[in-house]
């Protein structure tokens, strides 16, 4: 045994080792650029240089939108847990427990009421971090509760959509949320209250096929993937190469599916401006 190399040297290395937090740096998914975590946070979770918009939680989104980062949480009705007793690689109830522990939320939606540029507003946010922001009974109830809150408070209703689609573990009960949320949107229109949708990365599946594309105005963050099926599935189905940037927000803006692509720094002001235009009395 070499006492110097196997005992002394490791102890010296340990003595001078500097602990580095795991979250000190963030790597850009697009360019591989490594950026200081605090710089990205200060830039509203947009990578400086590449302009890549990172995914953020529902709470972070509400903090960015509401004045003073303060709002009232809207209580969401409870729904039956695992009504189909679904199990794949693990039980659905266990997946829910894991998602709740990871995000600190009960489900994929968070609804808040507060002021945006001094204008009263109701905002619902889908959190992709909770089982891919999937649409289930709880998410459907949360969306409808947000619409009812907007009707009760007579405020604009703003949705930040971000989802992989319907929640397979709830089967037909998940798909039933699509017509239910559509009825809630119809009630907003009958009351002449604006419904503004902000599409974030990604917004796909049954969410895109329902309430995410029924807004009075559709905004999108730069580079967001927006569509029903993913590009790989489409290419395999039609057996053709898709155009560059297909299903990205900029491509959809050029082809009339999205009204505007708005940088995260400008979203609050843009949503407030649109809301003020829509709630002003007609002359």
């Amino acid at each position: 045994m070499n006492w110097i190399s196997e005992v002394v040297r490791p102890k010296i290395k340990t003595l001078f080792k500097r602990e580095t937090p795991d979250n000190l740096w963030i790597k850009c998914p697009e360019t591989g650029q490594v950026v200081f975590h605090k710089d990205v946070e200060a830039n509203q979770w947009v990578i400086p240089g590449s302009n890549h918009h990172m995914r953020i939680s529902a709470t972070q989104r509400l903090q960015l939108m509401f004045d003073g980062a303060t709002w009232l949480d809207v209580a969401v009705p409870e729904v039956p847990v695992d009504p189909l007793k679904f199990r794949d690689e693990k039980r659905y109830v266990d997946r829910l427990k894991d998602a709740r522990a990871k995000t600190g939320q009960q489900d994929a939606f968070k609804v808040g009421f507060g002021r945006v540029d001094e204008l009263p507003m109701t905002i619902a946010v889908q959190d992709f971090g909770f089982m891919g922001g999937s649409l289930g009974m709880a998410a459907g109830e949360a969306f409808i509760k947000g619409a009812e809150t907007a009707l009760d408070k007579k405020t604009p209703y703003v949705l930040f959509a971000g989802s992989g689609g319907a929640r397979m573990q709830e089967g037909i009960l998940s798909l039933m949320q699509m017509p239910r949320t559509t009825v809630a949107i119809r009630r907003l229109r009958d009351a002449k209250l604006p419904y503004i949708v902000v599409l974030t990365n990604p917004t796909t599946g049954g969410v895109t096929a329902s309430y995410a594309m029924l807004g009075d105005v559709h905004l999108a963050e730069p580079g967001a993937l927006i569509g029903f099926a993913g590009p790989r599935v489409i290419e395999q189905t039609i057996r053709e190469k898709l155009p560059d940037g297909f299903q990205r927000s900029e491509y959809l803006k050029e082809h009339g599916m999205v009204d505007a692509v708005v940088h995260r720094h400008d979203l609050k002001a843009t949503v407030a401006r649109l809301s003020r235009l829509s709630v002003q009395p007609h002359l």
Side-chain angles (χ1 to χ4, degrees):
M1 174 180 176
N2 190 327
W3 181 76
I4 295 178
S5 61
E6 295 186 20
V7 178
V8 177
R9 189 175 297 167
K11 286 188 175 182
I12 293 175
K13 287 182 178 180
T14 304
L15 182 64
F16 291 99
K17 185 178 179 181
R18 303 177 71 179
E19 294 295 330
T20 304
D22 294 335
N23 62 350
L24 187 60
W25 302 93
I26 293 178
K27 186 175 182 179
C28 176
E30 289 185 1
T31 64
Q33 173 190 7
V34 178
V35 187
F36 191 44
H37 183 279
K38 290 293 183 183
D39 291 341
V40 180
E41 182 179 4
N43 203 39
Q44 298 187 8
W45 303 103
V46 178
I47 302 290
S50 69
N51 201 38
H52 176 79
H53 284 51
M54 303 284 291
R55 288 178 190 152
I56 57 177
S57 69
T59 299
Q60 289 171 323
R61 181 72 69 177
L62 295 178
Q63 288 172 343
L64 292 177
M65 289 299 295
F66 283 117
D67 294 348
T70 57
W71 67 90
L72 296 175
D73 279 328
V74 176
V76 177
E78 293 186 3
V79 299
V81 178
D82 194 14
L84 303 181
K85 307 300 180 190
F86 192 93
R87 183 188 184 108
D88 46 76
E89 294 177 351
K90 62 192 299 187
R91 295 189 306 162
Y92 178 39
V93 289
D94 293 334
R95 291 192 183 278
L96 286 174
K97 287 178 183 177
D98 291 344
R100 287 168 179 169
K102 175 185 173 184
T103 63
Q105 295 182 196
Q106 285 299 107
D107 210 270
F109 256 88
K110 191 172 183 64
V111 184
F113 168 75
R115 290 184 175 271
V116 177
D117 273 357
E118 300 300 325
L119 184 70
M121 197 171 296
T122 306
I123 299 178
V125 183
Q126 258 177 304
D127 194 330
F128 192 82
F130 193 105
M131 296 186 68
S134 50
L135 171 63
M137 290 188 296
E141 288 291 347
F143 180 91
I144 293 168
K145 182 63 177 180
E148 291 174 346
T149 302
L151 286 165
D152 181 55
K153 306 286 188 182
K154 293 182 172 51
T155 71
Y157 189 33
V158 179
L159 167 72
F160 284 86
S163 174
R167 188 170 297 175
M168 58 170 284
Q169 291 89 349
E170 296 185 13
I172 189 64
L173 300 174
S174 171
L175 297 179
M176 286 171 61
Q177 307 311 310
M178 296 167 66
R180 294 183 71 235
T181 53
T182 302
V183 171
I185 295 168
R186 174 58 62 182
R187 292 182 62 200
L188 288 169
R189 288 187 179 162
D190 290 343
K192 297 186 178 355
L193 292 173
Y195 171 50
I196 299 171
V197 178
V198 183
L199 303 162
T200 69
N201 183 47
T203 304
T204 59
V207 170
T208 310
S210 56
Y211 56 86
M213 296 306 290
L214 293 176
D216 298 312
V217 179
H218 292 97
L219 308 177
E221 288 194 327
L225 176 67
I226 304 163
F228 182 68
R232 187 186 312 168
V233 174
I234 296 174
E235 284 186 338
Q236 291 174 348
T237 302
I238 66 175
R239 293 176 179 163
E240 289 185 17
K241 182 69 178 174
L242 297 173
D244 291 338
F246 182 75
Q247 290 187 316
R248 294 293 171 177
S249 49
E250 292 80 5
Y251 183 93
L252 297 184
K253 165 67 169 58
E254 292 175 4
H255 292 79
M257 292 292 291
V258 169
D259 295 301
V261 177
V262 183
H263 194 285
R264 189 172 291 165
H265 293 174
D266 303 321
L267 269 174
K268 179 176 179 177
T270 301
V271 167
R273 184 166 63 251
L274 288 171
S275 298
R276 283 195 173 89
L277 289 172
S278 57
V279 298
Q280 284 180 352
H282 295 290
L283 299 177

